[in-house]
Amino acid sequence: MDHNDPRKGGVSAASLTDALGRLSTHRAHVLDLVSPTPGRVLRGRAVTIRFVPFRQDVFDAQVNSFARLFYEAIPANPAETVLVLDSGGQPNISVGGETKLSRLQNWKLAGLLTDGRLRDFGELERYEPVFYCSGETVKAGTADLMPIAANVPVVVGGVIVLPGDFVYADAAAAVIVPSGLVDEAFQLAARIELEDAAFLTRIRAEDPDEIRIRGSQET
């Protein structure tokens, strides 16, 4: 771990969200996600695959192939890459499980973020990549969703994700950092962590009597 790079650790989803709130006005955090390994942090540059509800009359096994779009999406060296899958507006449908997502293990991606569900948590927790999703399910989603495009804008939990954005997810939330704000946002988040630590020290040293007297004078 490079301790000089705040993207490698030392910040939380909360401090990163606070930092983005100072730098931009759009929502950047996704809530209510779960993981087979909730103690692990997901971080890396986004590549995307867009899903839409399945339609038999337009489905083409070659065009709507997850495998084809996966290899189209990932870069030559995907070690610090996060695959982001939208749910096509169906957050209770599976977008993948152990078999399909073994490609992330094979190619050593950082992990996956989706607002859809995943199957096979027991198997995914043994993979090196980190997975965050809306929940676990047992039913395959191939009859309900189909992938249509790679490395296009997608929407996850109401937040737009563009290829190249930085994804940071922990047990609290996922945060999508615009590609042009990555360094500034993480540096500011690290300062916010220090500010919070200083606040904790001051609060620990508070004198209740002094605060009560000051409060009565203010009113």
Side-chain angles (χ1 to χ4, degrees), residues 5-7 16 23 45 166 177-191:
D5 186 349
R7 291 174 295 178
L16 191 53
L23 297 173
R45 293 282 183 172
F166 195 91
V177 184
S179 59
L181 294 177
V182 174
D183 290 339
E184 188 176 6
F186 274 90
Q187 290 166 7
L188 180 53
R191 291 201 298 272

Side-chain angles (χ1 to χ4, degrees), residues 18 26 50 60 62 87 136 138-139 146 171 185 212 214:
D18 286 346
H26 69 276
R50 178 185 293 166
D60 183 311
Q62 296 298 319
S87 66
E136 186 175 15
V138 294
K139 182 180 181 296
M146 59 185 188
R212 282 194 291 267
R214 188 167 62 241

Side-chain angles (χ1 to χ4, degrees), residues 46-114:
V47 297
T48 66
I49 297 178
R50 178 185 293 166
F51 281 78
V52 297
F54 182 85
R55 268 187 57 160
Q56 183 66 52
D57 61 324
V58 298
F59 178 77
D60 183 311
Q62 296 298 319
V63 173
N64 305 115
S65 163
F66 179 85
R68 181 183 69 81
L69 292 170
F70 174 84
Y71 292 117
E72 182 179 328
I74 64 171
N77 180 10
E80 296 184 353
T81 297
V82 175
L83 179 62
V84 181
L85 312 177
D86 65 358
S87 66
Q90 301 190 72
N92 291 320
I93 301 300
S94 170
V95 295
E98 173 195 13
T99 303
K100 180 191 295 186
L101 301 180
S102 65
R103 295 180 178 91
L104 279 79
Q105 175 80 354
N106 297 340
W107 288 89
K108 302 186 185 305
L109 271 69
L112 179 147
L113 173 69
T114 181

Side-chain angles (χ1 to χ4, degrees), residues 153-175:
V154 297
V155 177
V156 174
V159 176
I160 187 169
V161 184
L162 304 180
D165 285 346
F166 195 91
V167 177
Y168 183 100
D170 60 23
V175 185

Side-chain angles (χ1 to χ4, degrees), residues 10 12 22 66 162 203:
S12 67
R22 300 182 189 182
F66 179 85
L162 304 180
I203 290 170

